[in-house]
Amino acid sequence: MPQSLSNILLHVIFSTKDRVPFLQDAKLRKELHAYLIGTLRDIDCPSLRVGGVADHVHVLCRLSRTITIAGLIEEMKTSSSKWVNREAPDIGSFYWQNGYAAFSVSPSNAEHVERYIDNQDIHHRTQSYQDELREFFRKHRVEFDERYVWD
């Protein structure tokens, strides 16, 4: 086959350092999500959905066949943290947590994940970030050690 084609969808989740609610301002959060969409487009990993709440983000995107998952996350986190620190210096030193969670998504399940991301404000009225991740780890059969997941 002369072409290299793929359709790998990822649901990526990462939080602010120590889950500090840096992104409480809805306008800043919306602008950050737009910035992430542009970053993803620039690295040929188009977003299907970007959303989140004051202390974390969710991204559903298509993984380019020329980038690793770690490279994707590094680009998103590095460029967006610089952007937040430049655009909102009054919130203090902004950092993302060191780690992240990334899960494969079947194209047939993409709409469900998009709705899930769209409803983050409602969802997090009753569930913490930590409980949300624990649920994802169980659902996707990811073994984890609580001592090393939260930073």
Side-chain angles (χ1 to χ4, degrees):
M1 182 164 154
Q3 286 185 308
S4 298
L5 304 171
S6 67
N7 186 24
I8 300 169
L9 302 181
L10 291 179
H11 180 186
V12 178
I13 308 166
F14 52 90
S15 116
T16 59
K17 180 77 172 163
D18 298 318
R19 288 156 315 285
V20 174
F22 283 116
L23 307 171
Q24 291 184 59
D25 180 81
K27 182 177 183 283
L28 175 63
R29 195 165 53 242
K30 184 176 181 178
E31 291 172 356
L32 170 63
H33 296 165
Y35 183 85
L36 286 167
I37 289 167
T39 299
L40 290 162
R41 182 187 57 244
D42 291 348
I43 59 172
D44 197 28
C45 293
S47 64
L48 282 73
R49 197 64 97 240
V50 175
V53 292
D55 67 350
H56 69 279
V57 296
H58 288 255
V59 173
L60 177 62
C61 66
R62 183 170 291 115
L63 182 66
S64 169
R65 60 182 186 74
T66 61
I67 192 169
T68 64
I69 294 171
L72 165 76
I73 306 298
E74 181 179 5
E75 185 61 34
M76 280 195 298
K77 288 166 83 173
T78 301
S79 65
S80 64
S81 63
K82 288 177 185 175
W83 180 87
V84 171
N85 282 309
R86 184 178 64 246
E87 296 297 317
D90 55 310
I91 66 170
S93 294
F94 178 85
Y95 296 99
W96 293 113
Q97 72 176 120
N98 289 323
Y100 61 87
F103 306 100
S104 61
V105 175
S106 166
S108 64
N109 200 33
E111 285 183 30
H112 174 75
V113 176
E114 289 172 357
R115 282 192 305 276
Y116 182 85
I117 292 171
D118 288 343
N119 291 313
Q120 283 293 291
D121 283 331
I122 295 166
H123 177 75
H124 284 290
R125 290 179 191 162
T126 59
Q127 187 176 46
S128 70
Y129 170 74
Q130 293 95 324
D131 287 342
E132 177 183 47
L133 268 189
R134 287 181 190 108
E135 188 176 310
F136 271 102
F137 292 150
R138 282 190 294 273
K139 180 180 177 181
H140 291 276
R141 299 178 186 163
V142 175
E143 292 185 27
F144 67 100
D145 185 331
E146 291 270 348
R147 295 175 296 174
Y148 304 110
V149 175
W150 318 118
D151 70 338

